[in-house]
Amino acid sequence: QDNTKNCIGDEYQISQVIENLIINARHATSDKGDIYIKICNHEVPQSLDKQQNELLKPGIYVKITIEDNGVGIPAENINKIFEPFYTTKSKGKGIGLAISHNIIKKHNGVIRVESEAGKFTRFDIYLPATDDKEEKQIEKRYEKEGSLLTIALMDDEFFILDSSKLLLETLGHNVLTASRGEELIEIYRDYIKNGKDIDIFILDVTIVGGMGGIETIKELKKINPDVKAIVSSGYSDDPVFTKYREYGFAATLKKPYNIAEMSEAIKVALENG
C-alpha cells in the first residue's frame, strides 16, 4: 500500500524477525516454492480479538505477512513453535522463533501463525502504527585507546549472528563470527599467532552440537587469561547471568538486544574485564 503508516521500533530487531521468518520459509519450500511478503495497514475494531493467548487491542497496525507454500506445520505442533528450544529441524536449537516472539511483544505487537501441513504457512506480524517519524540516532562508539574494537561473536543461530554482526559493524567495529566454541578457539589461536588480539568476545551460552559459552571462555582464558567476554542468552534466569563473574565473564547481554544494549555491554566489559 502506498499509504502504509509508520511504526516506531528498533529496525535491527525487526529485521532479525523478518530475516528469521524468511529463512524458515526457504527451508520449508526447499528453495523451490514461493514466498510472499506483504505490508499493509490493518485496523482492529473496538471488539477484542483473542488468538493464541494474546490480545490484539483495538487500533491501527502495520501488518507484515510472510507466507510460503511449503511443507507446512502439523496441527499438533502449531501451538509449540514459539516455545524456547522447540524445533523440527535436525540442526539448530530452535530459539529463533522464541526470540522473534519476544521482539514483537517488546514492541507492543503480536505475531500469529496459521498453517496447514503440506500446503502453506503464514506468519502475520502486527505492530502499532503511528503517523510520527523518529529521526535515526547514531550511537556512541566505544573505543579503546583511540581505535575501534575487534569483536568476536559466537552463536549457532545464523540470523542472530548475521544481524548482531551488522549492529557492530554499524558502530564501526571489526567483527569475527563463529557458530561454535571449537571454531572460535581456532580463530583466536590464529590471531595470537599472527601477533593480533581480539578485544571482546560475545558468547552464546548454549550451542547445540558444539562447545557453548561456559566451556569456550575456559579455553580462551587458557590461551590468554586477560580475555574480556560477554555472556549472551535468551534467558535472564540462566544461572550464569547472576554469577557471570564467577564464570569468567565481564558483562551480560540478554537476547533480544538492540544496538544501545550491545554498546552498553561492551562498555561494561571494557571497564570490568
Side-chain angles (χ1 to χ4, degrees):
Q1 288 183 344
D2 293 334
N3 64 337
T4 302
K5 292 182 176 293
N6 300 317
C7 51
I8 296 177
D10 187 298
E11 62 180 292
Y12 299 102
Q13 290 190 2
I14 299 301
S15 295
Q16 282 184 343
V17 174
I18 294 173
E19 181 179 352
N20 182 49
L21 294 178
I22 291 173
I23 290 172
N24 287 344
R26 287 183 59 189
H27 290 162
T29 58
S30 300
D31 295 328
K32 296 179 181 179
D34 298 313
I35 301 173
Y36 306 92
I37 303 173
K38 180 181 178 181
I39 302 176
C40 63
N41 296 327
H42 180 83
E43 183 174 1
V44 177
Q46 288 302 311
S47 59
L48 290 178
D49 178 15
K50 188 173 183 180
Q51 180 176 325
Q52 293 184 254
N53 299 319
E54 290 191 281
L55 293 176
L56 191 58
K57 298 179 180 179
I60 306 296
Y61 293 82
V62 174
K63 180 182 178 182
I64 305 170
T65 298
I66 299 173
E67 182 174 351
D68 67 74
N69 57 3
V71 297
I73 303 170
E76 63 270 20
N77 295 338
I78 197 73
N79 291 325
K80 303 176 183 177
I81 65 168
F82 294 123
E83 294 177 2
F85 299 111
Y86 174 78
T87 182
T88 57
K89 302 174 187 176
S90 58
K91 295 182 180 180
K93 59 191 175 191
I95 201 171
L97 286 175
I99 288 183
S100 296
H101 178 274
N102 288 340
I103 288 173
I104 299 304
K105 188 175 181 180
K106 186 176 181 179
H107 284 78
N108 299 314
V110 171
I111 181 170
R112 294 175 170 174
V113 60
E114 184 177 347
S115 184
E116 186 173 343
K119 292 187 177 181
F120 77 97
T121 298
R122 182 176 65 250
F123 285 91
D124 292 316
I125 299 169
Y126 300 86
L127 295 170
T130 178
D131 292 321
D132 297 333
K133 292 185 178 181
E134 185 174 65
E135 296 296 328
K136 290 185 177 179
Q137 295 182 353
I138 300 175
E139 298 291 338
K140 177 183 177 182
R141 294 178 179 179
Y142 291 103
E143 301 181 358
K144 180 184 179 182
E145 297 177 356
S147 62
L148 295 170
L149 304 172
T150 296
I151 300 174
L153 288 168
M154 183 186 78
D155 202 296
D156 61 351
E157 286 293 328
F158 171 76
F159 90 100
I160 295 175
L161 201 63
D162 188 52
S163 56
S164 297
K165 183 175 186 289
L166 177 62
L167 288 181
L168 290 168
E169 288 179 339
T170 299
L171 294 174
H173 299 304
N174 177 40
V175 185
L176 308 169
T177 60
S179 60
R180 57 199 185 104
E182 294 89 343
E183 179 185 359
L184 183 60
I185 290 164
E186 288 305 312
I187 290 173
Y188 190 44
R189 283 178 177 152
D190 287 341
Y191 247 64
I192 294 296
K193 188 183 298 182
N194 291 318
K196 298 182 290 184
D197 204 350
I198 295 174
D199 299 297
I200 296 286
F201 295 84
I202 301 177
L203 309 178
D204 188 22
V205 173
T206 307
I207 301 293
V208 175
M211 186 182 292
I214 294 174
E215 296 81 8
T216 302
I217 187 64
K218 291 178 182 177
E219 295 301 316
L220 290 173
K221 283 188 174 289
K222 289 179 182 178
I223 300 172
N224 177 9
D226 296 325
V227 297
K228 298 177 178 66
I230 300 167
V231 60
S232 175
S233 175
Y235 309 99
S236 58
D237 57 352
D238 193 306
V240 69
F241 261 61
T242 57
K243 299 180 179 179
Y244 65 94
R245 297 297 293 247
E246 295 180 17
Y247 287 92
F249 294 100
T252 63
L253 188 59
K254 184 180 182 296
K255 303 176 190 177
Y257 45 77
N258 58 33
I259 194 168
E261 291 164 340
M262 179 177 278
S263 293
E264 183 62 24
I266 292 170
K267 178 184 178 183
V268 171
L270 290 176
E271 292 174 349
N272 297 340

